[in-house]
Amino acid sequence: MTVSLEQLQRCHVAVDLGAARTRVYVKGLGLVVDEPSVAAVNTRTGSLIAVGALAEQMTGRTPEYIRVARPVSGGTVVDIEMAQRMLRHLLGDKLRRQLRRKPRLRAAACTPHEADPLAQRATVETLVGLGARRVELVDTLIAAAVGCGLPVEQPTATMIMACGAATTQIAVLSLGSIVTAVRIPVGGNAIDEAIIQHLRQHHELLLPSQSVRPLQLALHGNGLQLTGPALTDIHGRDVATGLARTVQVDTAAVRQAINTPLTAVLDGVGKVLRDCPPDLVADLADRGIMMVGGTALLPGLDQMLRDATGMPVHIAERPDVCSVLGLGAMLDGKIQPMVLNPLAG
């Protein structure tokens, strides 16, 4: 961790700008914002119409003069001005006034592993535009490991997999630092797209993007496993006629479509284990893999990892908010570094 815990304890607010959701933790108040990273803008006037959950409901349902924007992609801010406006409205006037009273407002933010300097600068500029005098950046993997209770400061190996909307990050941690890690451009969005393409190719059915999550819940009985209902009714629009149509989808075929993008994730796990020192791999055989992130809740994904690696796989208690809760624990001083006594002599 490049930022010391002492520096983080001086921060007043922690922000996790994710591709799917934005979360804000305020020291002394806890988690105050947990909303989708979406904003709806009137292109004629430039005014902001809605942010968060309401803006997400507008996706695919707006007239042409309303644009639904996603200012964050893969944990990287791609539209600084829009991200600032979105955060400003998500925080609300009361909370922003409270934060402005801080004489030197300090903020901490999560950044993806090996984020390039431009991506880091975009995150810093976003928070500076909201009044932060100083911004500390923390690797998402370390923050998530702290948030789900892993002993990251100890000299034992812990393996974490952060399953986000746009990327999947896998790392082995020891002594508060990343030993080896990999970032794969496959996440929940790629899995959603695989389902949409499967239904289009094999059933000539256009599925609205917001219908993918209910479909995954419908598959919850079997997920990536072989148990559960064999057929599921799916509502969509016919490719040829444009009319509404209901088809019965073979869940085994959908399971196969989901497996395809997940192959890259399994390859990433193998790469991390190959690059990891043997002593740490021995620790991982007992401790296993901890999964965090919204996509970690995909039914059967944990069992798929168990079958591929032969290691125990655990899902965090609150996998979707681990990163921001980890930052919050650092801000509140709940994490203490391991103190090494200097050798006498």
Side-chain angles (χ1 to χ4, degrees), residues 302-323:
D302 53 341
Q303 186 60 46
M304 184 179 180
L305 282 172
R306 288 189 196 100
D307 297 339
T309 62
M311 294 165 55
V313 178
H314 314 282
I315 300 176
E317 186 177 346
R318 298 179 66 188
D320 49 343
V321 294
C322 280
S323 296

Side-chain angles (χ1 to χ4, degrees), residues 17-19 37 67 69-84 86 116 118-123 125-126 166 183:
L17 283 167
S37 304
R67 179 172 67 95
R70 294 182 178 270
V72 185
S73 175
T76 301
V77 178
V78 293
D79 187 338
I80 295 174
E81 182 188 356
M82 187 60 66
Q84 288 176 349
M86 179 185 74
D116 59 77
L118 283 176
Q120 294 180 357
R121 184 179 177 84
T123 302
E125 286 188 10
T126 300
R183 186 179 171 196

Side-chain angles (χ1 to χ4, degrees), residues 143-332:
V146 171
C148 60
L150 292 178
V152 292
E153 296 293 336
Q154 299 302 314
T156 55
T158 53
M159 188 170 185
I160 188 164
M161 174 187 285
C163 309
T167 60
T168 298
Q169 304 173 71
I170 309 160
V172 174
L173 311 175
S174 181
L175 287 172
S177 298
I178 294 174
V179 178
T180 178
V182 67
R183 186 179 171 196
I184 305 157
V186 174
N189 293 344
I191 295 170
D192 294 349
E193 187 61 29
I195 294 175
I196 291 171
Q197 290 300 321
H198 169 79
L199 292 174
R200 178 168 187 149
Q201 291 172 7
H202 294 86
H203 298 278
E204 296 183 347
L205 193 74
L206 283 176
L207 189 67
S209 58
Q210 293 185 1
S211 299
V212 177
R213 292 299 178 192
L215 172 59
Q216 290 182 359
L217 292 175
L219 297 173
H220 198 284
N222 60 334
L224 306 179
Q225 303 170 27
L226 298 176
T227 58
L231 298 173
T232 305
D233 289 338
I234 302 298
H235 309 285
R237 191 180 77 186
D238 190 279
V239 172
T241 65
L243 301 176
R245 186 161 64 93
T246 301
V247 298
Q248 282 197 324
V249 178
D250 182 5
T251 51
V254 175
R255 182 168 59 248
Q256 186 61 42
I258 293 175
N259 276 339
T260 304
L262 291 179
T263 304
V265 176
L266 297 179
D267 291 343
V269 173
K271 183 180 185 306
V272 168
L273 291 174
R274 287 193 299 271
D275 294 344
C276 191
D279 290 343
L280 294 182
V281 175
D283 289 345
L284 295 175
D286 297 327
R287 291 178 173 274
I289 305 171
M290 177 66 76
M291 295 174 63
V292 300
T295 309
L297 298 172
L298 181 69
L301 179 56
D302 53 341
Q303 186 60 46
M304 184 179 180
L305 282 172
R306 288 189 196 100
D307 297 339
T309 62
M311 294 165 55
V313 178
H314 314 282
I315 300 176
E317 186 177 346
R318 298 179 66 188
D320 49 343
V321 294
C322 280
S323 296
V324 73
L325 291 182
L327 276 182
M330 295 178 197
L331 264 61
D332 293 336

Side-chain angles (χ1 to χ4, degrees), residues 21-33:
R21 297 184 77 85
T22 293
R23 300 177 177 93
V24 180
Y25 184 102
V26 176
K27 200 171 187 176
L29 295 178
L31 188 64
V32 295
V33 173

Side-chain angles (χ1 to χ4, degrees), residues 26 29 93-102:
V26 176
L29 295 178
D93 293 337
K94 183 180 178 181
L95 190 55
R96 279 191 291 124
R97 281 197 301 269
Q98 188 175 339
L99 291 175
R100 276 201 296 266
R101 294 194 192 107
K102 308 289 184 184

